[in-house]
Amino acid sequence: MEFTKEKLLRIEREGFYNVNVNPRLDLFEAIEKLKKEKNAIILAHYYQDSDIQDIADYIGDSLGLAQQAEKTSADIILFAGVHFMAETAKILNPHKKVILPDLNAGCSLSDSCPPEDFAKFKAQHPDHKVVSYINCSAGIKALSDVIVTSSNAETIVRSFPESQKLIFAPDKNLGRYVAQKTGRDMILWNGSCMVHEVFSLKRILQLKEQYPEAEIIAHPECEEPILALANFIGSTTALLKYAVKSDSQSFIVVTESGILHQMEKDAPNKHFIPAPSEGTCACNSCPHMKLNTLEKIYIAMKYEVPEITMSEELMAQALIPIRRMLDISAQAGL
Ligand code: 13P
Ligand code: SF4
C-alpha cells in the first residue's frame, strides 16, 4: 500500500500533497481497472490536463457534467474538475460517493462570494429573485432561486417574467453579458474568474493582425472589451462545437487553454491559437483545475478519498435551484 492510514486521513481532510506513485505503473491501465472493479466513472471538465481528459468517461462543460452526474448509474463519481462541480454532483447524488482528486481544487469566482456576505446582500433586496452561476459554493446555491451555467444562463433569465427583479451572482462578466443579451436589468455581484479576466486585449489584437483570417472565439466570463472583439461567444462546449462546424480554419481561443486538446482532436486540420494573458504568466491555465493529476486520480480511485461531504440540510436546500436549472434546460432542449 502506497499510503498509511494516517496519510489517507490527512488527504481526506486537506486534499492531496506529495503524491508518490510507482513510476513503472501504467496509470491508464490501473485507473481503467479500478473503474471497472468499483463501478466508478470519471467526469472531467475541458479545462483538465489532456491525459485526464483522455481517461474520462465523459468530458464536458459545467451543464453537461451536471446532466451526466444526474443520470449516472455508477456507484462512485470521481470528479476531475473543481470543488463546486464535485459538490453539485454530490448534491444530485446524496447516496453516492463523490471524490475530488485534490480537495484544494477551488475556484476564484466561487471564493469571491462568501455565503455570509451574500446572505446580507440578498436581505437588502427582498423583492429580487437570485440567479446564481453554478461556479459558487453549496452555501450560495442554497440561497438561490435558480442556478445557471454559461450554456443556459440566457434561457433561464428569460424564463422569469420581465417584471421580476433579479440578482445575478457571482460572475459580473457573465451577468453583464446576459443582461445585455436579454435586456434585463440585473443587480450583479462583483465576482470574476482569475483566468478569464486577465486576457490581454492588446496581445489578442496583435494576434489578430498576425492571423487576420482567424476567428476570435471567447467565453462569456471574459471582460467586455474582449467580448466586443469576438466573432462567437459561448460556453466551453459551445466554443468547441462552433470551432468544429465553422468554415474558418483558424481560431484565437479566449478561454482556459485546456479546451484546445479537444478542439485539436475534433478538428485536427484546423489551427487553434490560445489567447495570451497580460505579462509573462501562463494565466490562461487555471491553477485550480490543474491541481488534479493522473497520479492523484489513481490514488483517489484506489482509496476512495478525498470524499465530498455536506450536511443533508444543505444538500436538500441547494438541490432545489439545481433541479430547477436542469428542468428548464431539459424543457429548452439544452
Ligand atoms: P463552462 O463549463 O460553463 O464553460 O464554464 C467554464 C468555467 O469556468 C468552469 O469553471
Ligand atoms: Fe474558477 Fe475560473 Fe478556474 Fe473556472 S477557470 S474553475 S471559473 S478560476
Side-chain angles (χ1 to χ4, degrees):
M1 168 158 156
E2 290 92 340
F3 287 86
T4 60
K5 200 170 174 205
E6 262 175 8
K7 194 159 183 177
L8 285 171
L9 281 172
R10 210 165 147 200
I11 286 171
E12 183 82 290
R13 260 197 332 268
E14 298 169 14
F16 266 104
Y17 50 92
N18 292 336
V19 174
N20 295 315
V21 174
N22 180 351
R24 286 195 297 274
L25 187 70
D26 181 333
L27 287 171
F28 281 88
E29 210 176 277
I31 293 168
E32 283 300 343
K33 192 162 167 263
L34 287 168
K35 280 201 300 196
K36 285 198 188 88
E37 276 169 22
K38 293 173 184 257
N39 187 29
I41 54 162
I42 298 180
L43 303 182
H45 193 272
Y46 288 121
Y47 296 167
Q48 291 292 286
D49 278 336
S50 313
D51 49 3
I52 298 180
Q53 294 189 39
D54 290 344
I55 203 158
D57 297 281
Y58 176 82
I59 320 163
D61 66 1
S62 303
L63 177 61
L65 289 163
Q67 288 167 330
Q68 288 295 318
E70 183 194 22
K71 68 180 185 202
T72 182
S73 58
D75 295 315
I76 297 177
I77 300 172
L78 186 142
F79 214 108
V82 291
H83 197 270
F84 75 81
M85 297 177 174
E87 264 188 354
T88 305
K90 178 68 183 175
I91 292 163
L92 287 163
N93 295 281
H95 304 299
K96 290 189 199 292
K97 203 172 246 189
V98 177
I99 298 165
L100 182 65
D102 191 321
L103 274 190
N104 297 313
C107 167
S108 66
L109 183 49
S110 176
D111 291 347
S112 71
C113 195
E116 317 76 56
D117 297 348
F118 189 69
K120 287 183 202 147
F121 177 73
K122 182 183 164 183
Q124 288 163 11
H125 306 283
D127 52 348
H128 286 60
K129 296 272 189 210
V130 176
V131 180
S132 293
Y133 190 30
I134 198 164
N135 299 36
C136 64
S137 63
I140 296 296
K141 290 186 174 80
L143 292 166
S144 305
D145 293 288
V146 68
I147 300 303
V148 301
T149 75
S150 54
S151 300
N152 58 22
E154 192 183 330
T155 304
I156 291 178
V157 164
R158 285 190 200 280
S159 74
F160 284 96
E162 279 190 18
S163 55
Q164 178 59 59
K165 295 177 180 171
L166 300 172
I167 291 173
F168 190 97
D171 188 17
K172 63 177 177 192
N173 290 315
L174 179 66
R176 185 205 57 250
Y177 172 70
V178 172
Q180 283 167 359
K181 292 280 279 186
T182 59
R184 303 295 292 263
D185 185 17
M186 302 189 292
I187 301 181
L188 309 180
W189 181 264
N190 188 20
S192 57
C193 159
M194 63 187 284
V195 176
H196 289 90
E197 72 175 351
V198 295
F199 284 110
S200 164
L201 182 64
K202 192 168 138 209
R203 295 176 72 189
I204 292 171
L205 285 168
Q206 282 167 352
L207 270 180
K208 182 71 183 167
E209 261 178 46
Q210 203 180 336
Y211 302 99
E213 75 295 348
E215 285 196 76
I216 298 176
I217 57 175
H219 196 281
E221 285 177 24
C222 295
E223 292 186 327
E224 194 169 16
I226 304 266
L227 295 185
L229 283 183
N231 300 93
F232 180 77
I233 298 167
S235 78
T236 323
T237 300
L239 295 179
L240 174 63
K241 285 188 179 160
Y242 180 82
V244 171
K245 259 193 166 178
S246 165
D247 290 335
S248 299
Q249 292 305 303
S250 55
F251 301 86
I252 298 168
V253 183
V254 200
T255 189
E256 211 272 358
S257 54
I259 186 65
L260 267 75
H261 180 57
Q262 287 307 314
M263 288 178 170
E264 283 162 355
K265 264 178 121 172
D266 291 359
N269 298 321
K270 294 189 176 180
H271 181 207
F272 298 102
I273 307 150
S277 316
E278 298 287 355
T280 52
C281 69
C283 300
N284 59 8
S285 174
C286 173
H288 305 291
M289 288 277 182
K290 299 312 194 258
L291 281 177
N292 296 323
T293 62
L294 221 47
E295 286 78 8
K296 290 177 188 174
I297 288 180
Y298 166 67
I299 297 298
M301 188 69 97
K302 184 163 179 177
Y303 299 107
E304 301 178 16
V305 288
E307 200 185 338
I308 299 288
T309 54
M310 278 164 278
S311 75
E312 284 190 12
E313 194 192 348
L314 178 61
M315 284 198 281
Q317 278 173 7
L319 179 61
I320 299 166
I322 297 174
R323 275 250 63 87
R324 202 165 281 145
M325 168 188 83
L326 291 171
D327 291 346
I328 299 172
S329 301
Q331 279 160 23
L334 296 171

